[in-house]
Amino acid sequence: MRCVLCVLALLCILCQTTQAELPPNVIVIYADDLGWGDLACYGHPSIRTPHLDRMAAEGMRFTEFYSAAEVCTPSRAALLTGRYPMRNGMCHDQFRVLRQNSKGGLPKDETTLAEALKTKGYVTGCIGKWHLGHLPEHLPPQHGFDEYFGLPFSNDMRPTPTSPPGRDKFYVEKNEYWATPLIRGTDIIEPQPDQRLLTRRYTEEAVKFIRTHNAKPFFLYFPHTFPHVPLFASDKFRGQSPAGIYGDVVEELDWSVGQVLDAVRQEGLAERTLVVFSSDNGPWLIFDTHGGSAGLLREGKGSTWEGGMRVPGIFWWPGKVKSGVIQREMALTMDVFPTVCKLAGVDVPTDRTIDGRDISPLLFGTGTVDREVFLYYRGQTLYAARLGVWKAHFITRSAYGNDKSESHEPPALYNLRVDPSERFDVAAKHPDVVASIKVAVDKHVSELKPAPSQLIETVPAK
Ligand code: MG
């Protein structure tokens, strides 16, 4: 009997050692068009997000976290490659997002985070909205993901013949107005899924993925369809939020985050799982109460004012990421790629420029991160640049309607710490700052021109 107990104890120790030596699991939850001001932990007064608030309280909440673009497709390409859209080919000036009849997708020679992690034996899954090419040769299974379940592009991209013209159709929760297909692997499994059930179905898939792969290191990329318009929520959440239908949708997303974190905890994986929550771009303001809020930040989706590209950023890993920290240092969705590679023991590709930085010193409270200039592109056009606390706008454009672009020479200059709403242009008082930003920009822009072969075909087919 004593012998048996000894063997069991030894097995237990061996098992624990093996678990401890495994690289961390990684889950990236990515909302669509969720604004910087849309969560309670970011100051929203009436949308209730207890699970994200708890995630932030147990982890680190960034106040200056940036997407690399102000719309969906280039933002996702940058997150998954750690590179500016200008480098990874997803930067068409006019068609800044892939359309339902675009032929292109993320170039094959780009290395996604999933492909990088596969080299260390990770199981990889993508659940949700892809939007990096909808043809079979561009879907997640062609970019390092073992499993895929979700919509290939935005939920507004395939209106049906019964869908009324104009914007009105966006304000009605009618599933028959939309026919964005649901895909598993590379096969369309439902041509017109019920959008009210999408968040719930994605969440069930995500929880199943976590439980199924609990013994292996895994990477789950979980880009939600919502709160991109048209807005849909399940019966349990519809009509429940004080903030109306937009609140219903965000509160269901918050529930989903709670389900994912609960699954991680229940599987005993909390201390070896990094979970990241963010959004691809700012709120789509032209949709009135069906669009979100950037809080005190100026403008929203489609604009390079702060509201278009500064987004929520929450990192959670009990025992590793400093808990209860409001992090005011700047960080980027592009940082996720090199940070996760470092944590997983994967060498980042050396045959190309990775624009993100390893921010694990910030996350673990062990140091700082050197940061050069951050560039705000819209398509292939440079609109603004941030160096330290200063942001210079060379071109500005409103997020609303069809407003024209406005060029600025000298550039408009804002101190983002003193004036986060970008209200007071102080360029005339600080010509030295403007000059130093221009020097920093010149250094980068000269090498940020995409090769023609890298520019993918985003133009919709006739
Ligand atoms: Mg978006």
Side-chain angles (χ1 to χ4, degrees):
M1 185 62 189
R2 188 177 291 173
C3 239
V4 172
L5 287 173
C6 283
V7 169
L8 283 173
L10 191 61
L11 281 174
C12 197
I13 289 166
L14 279 173
C15 185
Q16 282 175 353
T17 307
T18 310
Q19 290 284 309
E21 284 171 355
L22 285 174
N25 305 310
V26 177
I27 302 174
V28 176
I29 307 172
Y30 206 45
D32 192 353
D33 295 2
L34 181 81
W36 187 84
D38 279 331
L39 306 179
C41 55
Y42 279 83
H44 199 284
S46 50
I47 298 178
R48 302 163 301 187
T49 53
H51 300 289
L52 281 157
D53 301 348
R54 178 181 171 188
M55 181 182 171
E58 294 177 353
M60 186 173 286
R61 178 171 73 82
F62 284 76
T63 59
E64 303 190 15
F65 195 70
Y66 288 90
S67 177
E70 27 62 70
V71 287
C72 300
T73 295
S75 302
R76 288 147 202 275
L79 168 73
L80 288 179
T81 63
R83 288 151 57 79
Y84 278 111
M86 282 290 279
R87 293 195 210 277
N88 63 38
M90 308 299 274
C91 58
H92 198 287
D93 257 339
Q94 186 182 359
F95 300 100
R96 289 173 296 123
V97 300
L98 292 162
R99 307 300 171 101
Q100 66 272 33
N101 47 357
S102 298
K103 291 176 290 183
L106 184 67
K108 292 282 189 298
D109 55 1
E110 288 296 320
T111 299
T112 67
L113 185 53
E115 288 168 321
L117 293 175
K118 288 298 290 177
T119 65
K120 282 284 177 182
Y122 274 68
V123 176
T124 55
C126 173
I127 295 168
K129 170 181 162 178
W130 175 239
H131 214 175
L132 291 172
H134 74 279
L135 297 178
E137 60 268 32
H138 297 302
L139 287 170
Q142 307 304 326
H143 288 284
F145 289 97
D146 300 318
E147 301 176 21
Y148 174 52
F149 176 83
L151 305 191
F153 38 67
S154 301
N155 62 330
D156 66 334
M157 282 193 161
R158 194 166 281 170
T160 62
T162 63
S163 180
R167 198 175 293 165
D168 284 353
K169 58 181 174 281
F170 288 97
Y171 297 106
V172 181
E173 201 186 2
K174 275 201 172 179
N175 200 59
E176 58 266 38
Y177 286 176
W178 312 98
T180 308
L182 181 65
I183 292 177
R184 189 180 291 281
T186 55
D187 299 326
I188 294 176
I189 56 171
E190 293 172 32
Q192 193 175 11
D194 187 339
Q195 293 207 27
R196 293 170 298 185
L197 305 180
L198 281 179
T199 299
R200 197 176 85 198
R201 293 179 70 185
Y202 287 172
T203 305
E204 289 166 357
E205 291 278 334
V207 168
K208 186 173 153 200
F209 180 89
I210 293 164
R211 296 201 193 283
T212 303
H213 302 299
N214 60 2
K216 275 195 145 189
F218 63 75
F219 169 46
L220 172 60
Y221 172 48
F222 188 5
H224 277 282
T225 282
F226 300 112
H228 192 290
V229 292
L231 298 175
F232 288 88
S234 69
D235 286 347
K236 189 176 168 193
F237 290 90
R238 196 180 313 116
Q240 299 300 310
S241 173
I245 178 66
Y246 189 86
D248 295 339
V249 169
V250 174
E251 290 182 13
E252 187 161 20
L253 295 180
D254 178 72
W255 162 84
S256 171
V257 171
Q259 293 290 300
V260 167
L261 294 182
D262 281 350
V264 169
R265 292 187 189 100
Q266 287 159 9
E267 294 297 325
L269 302 175
E271 289 175 2
R272 60 181 188 88
T273 302
L274 170 68
V275 185
V276 181
F277 178 87
S278 192
S279 175
D280 66 337
N281 50 253
W284 208 350
L285 299 173
I286 58 171
F287 285 98
D288 311 324
T289 56
H290 284 229
S293 165
L296 55 55
L297 305 179
R298 186 163 173 177
E299 291 287 351
K301 177 178 179 174
S303 170
T304 49
W305 292 103
E306 288 294 285
M309 290 173 61
R310 200 193 293 192
V311 288
I314 304 172
F315 288 68
W316 181 92
W317 183 0
K320 293 288 281 187
V321 170
K322 286 277 181 192
S323 69
V325 173
I326 298 172
Q327 178 57 263
R328 294 186 171 82
E329 290 298 314
M330 180 181 172
L332 315 173
T333 57
M334 288 189 291
D335 296 337
V336 170
F337 182 98
T339 303
V340 168
C341 284
K342 176 74 183 306
L343 297 173
V346 175
D347 293 329
V348 295
T350 53
D351 61 343
R352 64 197 69 193
T353 301
I354 301 295
D355 295 294
R357 295 282 181 272
D358 168 21
I359 59 166
S360 54
L362 284 182
L363 297 173
F364 303 155
T366 55
T368 55
V369 174
D370 285 337
R371 181 77 63 187
E372 295 179 316
V373 69
F374 174 57
L375 304 170
Y376 299 68
Y377 276 91
R378 197 171 180 277
Q380 296 168 47
T381 308
L382 182 72
Y383 272 60
R386 174 174 175 171
L387 189 63
V389 302
W390 300 97
K391 180 176 175 185
H393 290 267
F394 309 102
I395 308 171
T396 51
R397 185 186 174 103
S398 161
Y400 302 108
N402 297 313
D403 295 312
K404 295 275 185 295
S405 297
E406 186 182 353
S407 295
H408 303 274
E409 182 52 46
L413 183 73
Y414 300 88
N415 182 325
L416 293 177
R417 292 276 163 83
V418 175
D419 178 22
S421 301
E422 300 175 282
R423 291 190 297 162
F424 309 109
D425 178 2
V426 292
K429 288 184 193 165
H430 298 284
D432 53 326
V433 173
V434 173
S436 63
I437 292 178
K438 281 185 170 175
V439 169
V441 165
D442 287 346
K443 176 171 175 275
H444 283 266
V445 167
S446 62
E447 45 124 8
L448 261 172
K449 297 202 172 18
S453 60
Q454 189 71 354
L455 257 183
I456 50 84
E457 182 57 66
T458 56
V459 181
K462 290 254 168 59

